[in-house]
Amino acid sequence: MDLYQELILEHSKRPHHAGLREPYSAEVHHINPTCGDEVTLRVSIAGDDADPVVRDVSYDAKGCSISIASSSVLADEVIGRPVSEALTTFEAMREMLTSKGKAAGDEEVIGDGVAFAGVAKYPARVKCALLGWTALTDALARSGQDISRAAPAARTQSTPAEPTTAQSTGAKS
């Protein structure tokens, strides 16, 4: 087993930042109708300036190891970072995962997300790896953040590459 497979397994067995926490700015629930994976994700935003910070991401993920591990890596990579950086990281992950194996990913931008580069060769698994990330962009939008800085795919709840059903609940501060 290579290092990347081990990293995915480790994140799926011991997901970081798992469990729904309060306070939060927005909560969303996304389901991958293809396989049944689902995630409820909460985001907490701090600051009213031009580039507020992702104070916390908490989630409850049910599904395959790729979906759970990707949500764990997502939380590691975006907590404590400005929203603009979180969107840049999302876009870099999306580009790598939808490249059909042509893009290895930039570790400087996506950190442990590079472990998912091999997933890009399996279109059905790409949806699993992007589920939490798509939920994050939805939660950011629902918390009042401008996600127009992200690529068009980030601004939709469902695209051909990332089918999900979304349900939002109100924010709780």
Side-chain angles (χ1 to χ4, degrees):
M1 186 179 311
D2 74 5
L3 177 65
Y4 288 154
Q5 289 173 326
E6 289 178 28
L7 186 76
I8 291 172
L9 287 175
E10 182 62 28
H11 272 278
S12 70
K13 289 178 184 175
R14 293 172 202 65
H16 302 177
H17 309 283
L20 298 172
R21 290 183 295 280
E22 295 184 12
Y24 59 92
S25 305
E27 176 181 282
V28 296
H29 183 78
H30 281 224
I31 300 169
N32 180 346
T34 305
C35 66
D37 288 355
E38 57 185 279
V39 64
T40 300
L41 184 138
R42 291 178 176 173
V43 65
S44 177
I45 305 299
D48 293 328
D49 57 359
D51 202 6
V53 172
V54 178
R55 179 177 39 194
D56 191 30
V57 172
S58 62
Y59 60 92
D60 180 28
K62 295 179 177 90
C64 70
S65 59
I66 291 173
S67 177
I68 293 168
S70 185
S71 294
S72 176
V73 168
L74 171 153
D76 281 350
E77 295 302 323
V78 304
I79 291 174
R81 302 235 173 116
V83 169
S84 62
E85 284 184 30
L87 292 170
T88 298
T89 303
F90 161 77
E91 180 55 28
M93 279 293 290
R94 189 190 66 78
E95 285 179 18
M96 178 189 71
L97 287 166
T98 59
S99 74
K100 298 182 179 172
K102 295 181 179 122
D106 182 351
E107 191 171 0
E108 293 291 318
V109 178
I110 62 176
D112 283 350
V114 297
F116 297 89
V119 173
K121 297 175 187 171
Y122 306 97
R125 306 311 296 208
V126 167
K127 298 166 190 170
C128 301
L130 283 175
L131 182 63
W133 293 89
T134 304
L136 173 68
T137 60
D138 185 18
L140 288 171
R142 292 172 190 265
S143 72
Q145 300 307 304
D146 177 9
I147 64 165
S148 65
R149 297 169 281 191
R155 294 190 299 266
T156 63
Q157 293 178 20
S158 178
T159 66
E162 306 153 26
T164 61
T165 58
Q167 176 184 31
S168 178
T169 58
K172 186 173 185 177
S173 298

